[in-house]
Amino acid sequence: MRAEQLEQLLQHQTALIGRIALERDLSACLLAIAERLENILAVPGARGCVLLLEGTELTMAAAPQLNAEYLPRFDQLALQEQEFCPPSKQTNKLQVCAIPLNSKQCRHGRLATEYNFALAWSCPVLSSKSKQLGRLLVYLPQRTLPSALQREIIVHFGHLASLAIEKHQASQREAILTRCLQQAHGKVNSLLKLLPELLLIMDENGSLVDSYGGDQQLLGIAPDQAIGKLLRDFWPHGETNQIFAQLKHALDCNEAQTFELEISDDRARYIESHMVPIQHYRTDQPKHPHVLWMLRDITTQKQAQKRIEQLAYFDPLTSLPNRRLLMNRTQKLIERVNREEAYGALIYIDLNDFKRINDPLGHYVGDELLVQVAHRLQECVRESDTFARIGGDEFVVLLERLRVSDDAIADEARRVAERILASLSRHFELSGGQFNISGSIGIALIDRCDHDALEVLKHADAAMYEAKHRVRGNVCFHNERLQQRIDHRLLLESEINESLAHHDFLAYFQPQLDQHGQLIAAEALIRWQHPVKGLMQPNDFLSVAEGMGAMPRMQELMIEHACSLLAAMKREGLLLKDFRVALNICPSQLKQDSFAHHLQDILAQYNVSPDRFVLELTEGMLIDDLPRTIDILQSLRDMGFRLAIDDFGTGYSSLAYLNRLPMNEIKIDKSFIADIKNSDDPLGIVDSVVSLSEHFKFDVIAEGIEDAQQLEAMSRKSIRGLQGFFLAKPMPQQEFVDWMRAA
């Protein structure tokens, strides 16, 4: 190929490639190819055209100089590919064939000869994958075979036609794909808008990148207004810390996270959330991590679920747990009891007089009574316990706070039962009038055994029926031994109340002497002159009295007896200037805000000064709620009372607080005095207490002096007072006065 021909070919090629790249119309590109092919071939009368293969037929796509009538007649022939290439040269290779138009095998030859064409040069148009796309055809008026240069040019223009056709086909596929994507995007957006979920895309900093469909009210603002904002800017609620924690966990673990948000604003709402990490979400920042956060309002489902649970596990009349829920919790408690080696209890309550109201007055009044009973009895139990209605007029309390001994849980169960009976004893105001009812209670302890929940309930039920038939009392334990002990305790409580009314409790006074044998004080000790059992010691009744709340009344009696003693001593001329009476204070008194003023009022009635009394408190009482205790003790001391720590050394914490306590005396516990005979260092603890007391300027009283050896040992110590049976026993008032007179 000569230089000028090569340059001409390059010019045509450059122009055509630019046309192919920019031209969107395939026909215009193919017309330009055919025209430039004619120009560069420079054969007189030659006419170039491009045929496209559509299915199995070839159609005329571009023929710039053919007669306009020729084109439709050509297409009507429905010509096949093999008609434009001799059978011997029909391959998928770019090669130019010369086709005589007068051949019988060439059906369009007769049509071409009508227009004075004798020969056609034909070259296949192949794709980059050698797939047949069409034909490049040159009609000639004379029978002239193409030269090598002409063949090369035709093949080259076949390549250009191939580029144009493939580019057009790619554009068509892209257009189709774009339309499909647009249609799919529209469908997806339409579907997302129908979904209840809101889909948000956030980056690792909690900035909203995209949002899709769903409930537009979940964010509090329109999602498109939140795009580009941080979570804390568009999330109006207080759960951002929880959401950030889930976001971080999802990215760190590269795992989906499911969690629930409870939102309390104008109404309680529940939001179900799913958060999953997304890789390469943004093409411009492929390594920047993102999460897909799906939110769904499940408030309606939650409310329905709660309603279902309410129907399944709660009594519809009283809203209390029903039998099913009670049995579930009882079984779990039994498992805890066995696992932790502890004790629980189940209290079975039956209303004795329910039928008397329900049958004649009707179920409406009966239901009203059951609702009032439920509300009233709920006040008798803790929130941690289960209070259930298991049917009719039967209620059950499951004590779920375990105890370490059967005695402890039995005492607690009994106290709860007594509160329930006391609550039921108050009359009920119903629409049918005012009514009084009572109850029978059975108690079953839950201990380390093989019983299941049903057996425990049966035991409590049996105990309840036993309570209905008992002559006295309306509470019965299933365990006979415990029942006997409870019966004894109930009897003792009844007797204490009766004896308080008849003044059967007395004060005995035990002298306290100084190192020289001079009387300095007396401790008032309570005794019970039982009408049948005779004189009873404190250990036989004090714990019961404390449990039933009788100690404040007993303490008043003790103060009255002490004032009476002081008055008698004054009449006899025996009242020494510094003589005092020591009184023991119980824990329940110290917890009363009015305790100090109540003491002062009693003494005012007897015209006795507070400085005549020493109030003794144990270490355990002092360290319980220390700031409040210090305030109360300071008030008592400001009134004139002296204060003493009783049984000092048996506690475990008071040493650290001695400098804060406004005390006057320390009483060394008698156990340390008793150890003098048996201990290798008999006086070590005593010496320590004395030394400590000297540092804090406390007087020391040694109690429990039982023999001469103990007296001799204590007499050598720097202590103020001595007390014990070896010196003098506790005595009633008159005997104490006589003892003083004889001393």
Side-chain angles (χ1 to χ4, degrees), residues 212-384:
Y212 302 95
D215 186 351
Q216 302 292 302
Q217 304 303 316
L218 284 179
L219 296 182
I221 61 174
D224 57 352
Q225 296 178 7
I227 299 296
K229 295 182 179 179
L230 292 173
L231 174 66
R232 60 177 174 268
D233 296 331
F234 66 80
W235 186 259
H237 315 294
E239 299 81 17
T240 50
N241 289 340
Q242 180 185 356
I243 298 170
F244 267 117
Q246 296 291 344
L247 186 152
K248 185 177 185 303
H249 193 59
L251 293 176
D252 290 345
C253 301
N254 196 31
E255 294 178 354
Q257 304 298 315
T258 298
F259 55 100
E260 192 173 289
L261 299 171
E262 183 176 355
I263 301 174
S264 298
D265 38 27
D266 54 337
R267 62 183 180 91
R269 289 190 297 158
Y270 297 90
I271 307 297
E272 181 183 76
S273 295
H274 301 274
M275 197 173 282
V276 61
I278 303 177
Q279 304 297 330
H280 312 297
Y281 180 75
R282 296 183 61 168
T283 55
D284 57 334
Q285 295 176 328
K287 294 184 179 180
H288 197 59
H290 291 78
V291 294
L292 169 64
W293 181 20
M294 184 180 73
L295 298 87
R296 183 182 184 188
D297 192 329
I298 57 171
T299 305
T300 303
Q301 296 92 311
K302 276 284 187 179
Q303 292 172 343
Q305 182 181 351
K306 287 184 178 180
R307 180 59 180 161
I308 293 171
E309 290 178 355
Q310 186 73 22
L311 293 173
Y313 293 106
F314 292 87
D315 173 46
L317 177 63
T318 63
S319 297
L320 294 175
N322 61 14
R323 185 187 186 94
R324 176 184 294 176
L325 183 54
L326 171 72
M327 299 303 283
N328 288 345
R329 292 183 178 177
T330 302
Q331 190 61 45
K332 290 180 180 178
L333 186 66
I334 291 172
E335 294 170 1
R336 281 186 59 202
V337 163
N338 287 314
R339 185 171 61 250
E340 300 178 21
E341 297 185 355
Y343 295 86
L346 188 143
I347 303 172
Y348 201 116
I349 308 154
D350 181 78
L351 305 183
N352 293 331
D353 305 302
F354 180 70
K355 288 184 177 293
R356 176 174 57 84
I357 299 171
N358 188 66
D359 291 350
L361 299 179
H363 294 296
Y364 175 78
V365 177
D367 288 349
E368 187 181 357
L369 173 61
L370 292 173
V371 171
Q372 288 193 27
V373 167
H375 290 164
R376 187 179 293 184
L377 296 192
Q378 272 186 308
E379 299 175 356
C380 300
V381 300
R382 297 170 310 214
E383 291 186 5
S384 58

Side-chain angles (χ1 to χ4, degrees), residues 638-651:
D638 292 343
M639 291 176 184
F641 291 101
R642 284 177 64 84
L643 304 174
I645 301 176
D646 194 14
D647 301 332
F648 185 80
T650 59

Side-chain angles (χ1 to χ4, degrees), residues 41 50 144 150 237 287 313 328 332 439 472 510 515 620:
L41 286 176
V50 181
T144 304
Q150 290 172 331
H237 315 294
K287 294 184 179 180
Y313 293 106
N328 288 345
K332 290 180 180 178
R472 56 179 310 282
Q510 186 174 29
Q515 300 283 30

